[in-house]
Amino acid sequence: MQRIVVLAGGIGGARFLRGLRSAVPDAEITVVGNTGDDIHLFGLKVCPDLDTVMYTLGGGIHEEQGWGRADETFAVKEELAAYGVGPEWFGLGDRDFATHIVRTQMISAGYPLSAVTEALCARWQPGVRLLPMTDDRVETHVLIDDPDAGDAGRDEDGGDGTAGRKAVHFQEYWVRLRASVDAHAVVPVGADAAKPAPGVLEAVAAADTILFPPSNPVVSVGTILAVPGIREAIADAGVPVVGLSPIVGNAPVRGMADKVLAAVGVETTAAAVAAHYGSGLLDGWLVDTADADTVGAVEDAGIRCRAVPLLMRDEETTAEMARQALALAEEVRA
Amino acid sequence: MQRIVVLAGGIGGARFLRGLRSAVPDAEITVVGNTGDDIHLFGLKVCPDLDTVMYTLGGGIHEEQGWGRADETFAVKEELAAYGVGPEWFGLGDRDFATHIVRTQMISAGYPLSAVTEALCARWQPGVRLLPMTDDRVETHVLIDDPDAGDAGRDEDGGDGTAGRKAVHFQEYWVRLRASVDAHAVVPVGADAAKPAPGVLEAVAAADTILFPPSNPVVSVGTILAVPGIREAIADAGVPVVGLSPIVGNAPVRGMADKVLAAVGVETTAAAVAAHYGSGLLDGWLVDTADADTVGAVEDAGIRCRAVPLLMRDEETTAEMARQALALAEEVRA
């Protein structure tokens, strides 16, 4: 049986996984999920990326939106607003709330997030093994200009680049601000002290193939790779590591990846993202046919590259992307 | 301005309070609410009696049901059941969940229940000051036969009356079992070490009149009186203390008060409940016109008694009951 490990963020990762599962229904797929975008809201632990994967593969996702539950209602959110309790900018529906209530109750009872995720998946039966990247708390913060600091504050930059700036939680940057302001830095707070969740390193070591889906290379896959031990385990696994570009025609397929790529000094091109991962980590890279002219540059950087259609229009086109990624992995292996 | 203190349980107390507020709109009414039926469900702190008072006086109550929210939906509960997370026997709606989420978040942040209740009431504007009886944890337990203990267990009663029996939370007895089995004892666990919440003793000391609405004399008013200091403060306040019988024609007007009255050795009659409170505490007692023949017996026990209609059919009949209670208080005062 083919064993595949996938590092996944939210919507893009989840949709790719659905295609992958369809392409290789007999494969044993382990998903290492990003938890850097986890957030405590209303006293509840919310894990947006894990839930998006779980709901998408479990048949509970809001298809058009890409996140949250189908047939959702918002009575709890309305009531919280009536109490004047925010934030109002994060859209938690009633069905979704139940997931966070169960999770928080289990966490409070002492279960690690990995055990909680397994328990939630017992209901959703996603057809993959879903692991959080870590059971420890990691929170991705984004450094932005502080509109309250005033010009004086910005002028008095002490040299560390933080004067006149403030760090906000990734969700505040992404959801409330819709990435409308520049990100000066992206910091996975706590990552340096985090340990990979039980099963993560074992799955990587046992994998036949490792895939990076077209998830955000900074705040999704990048955060997972920031947990000490995971990047090293992948580089040392001795099996093909193949990624799919989330950038098509110099723009993110979805989301606002360009904003956070700029924060880490990476151009918004398929080739630049491949170079950002680097040939020490990545063996193969799929770019969209629109970016066929970059194949040579990627290969010159030591990463085998193919141009194939990378728009996940439906499950079948996505399954074909997965087949192309696995085919490239076989080329690498050979 | 007339200052009135009312010890209230849930549905009966809340409906009486609505009538009282209507009868004396200019009075300053302080409600000391029972918290012995509070329960932790799904990791959230639920205060059924406080919420019933708050929702009823704030216009958010489900009128027919008497508890919970109007226009309620149950998506969260359905989802929790889908996760296999119970209990399923406690009916928490989506709107109601928001209240418990806000409360739990504030409690976790270190606020005492009295401060949380005040914050919740800032939205509901109940027109009374609602205080929990205590900020400490008190949980009413009911001792019942343990169906799992077997006959041997019941035969081996060691003399303390607990062999072959088990204690269940009041809500489990009342809601799950619907008081369908005998209650051998009712124990407000933690009450002996509880302190009255800030403002309770001060309100009692400043009161012109103290009222016991037709709430459950054991598990509602009785639990409040079990908090050390409250009974004494009422007895020593030197103002009329008047109660309204929750028993009409030898049966509870609503609920299953007969079951818990039996547990404390009190007959299910209006006169027996008056005697249970006692002339040391109670100055006046209203019984229903159906129980007019017991007026003499109550008065012989040293408690001034009148027979008036005690069915809270609507706000106006309830307001009239409140006026009768206040009139009896004036008789006592004179």
Side-chain angles (χ1 to χ4, degrees), chain A residues 57-118:
Chain A
L57 295 181
I61 198 76
H62 186 300
E63 286 290 343
E64 294 71 40
Q65 191 169 254
W67 54 270
R69 295 288 310 278
D71 304 318
E72 188 58 289
T73 52
F74 292 88
V76 175
K77 183 179 161 78
E78 280 174 32
E79 290 294 316
L80 292 170
Y83 279 115
V85 172
E88 294 190 34
W89 49 264
F90 203 89
L92 290 181
D94 297 332
R95 295 187 186 282
D96 202 20
F97 257 112
T99 299
H100 313 314
I101 289 170
V102 173
R103 175 185 292 121
T104 305
Q105 190 178 12
M106 287 190 72
I107 296 268
S108 299
Y111 291 94
L113 182 61
S114 50
V116 174
T117 304
E118 188 178 349

Side-chain angles (χ1 to χ4, degrees), chain A residues 112-176:
Chain A
L113 182 61
S114 50
V116 174
T117 304
E118 188 178 349
L120 295 173
C121 285
R123 169 188 175 191
W124 289 104
Q125 297 289 322
V128 302
R129 184 174 178 214
L130 177 60
L131 303 175
M133 64 189 198
T134 180
D135 281 335
D136 300 321
R137 185 163 172 172
V138 176
E139 219 171 68
T140 302
H141 287 191
V142 179
L143 195 66
I144 61 172
D145 286 329
D146 184 358
D148 298 330
D151 289 336
R154 271 195 286 277
D155 288 346
E156 286 165 15
D157 189 320
D160 63 352
T162 59
R165 295 180 173 173
K166 68 171 181 178
V168 296
H169 189 287
F170 169 71
Q171 296 295 354
E172 188 174 349
Y173 181 72
W174 208 247
V175 180
R176 185 171 80 81

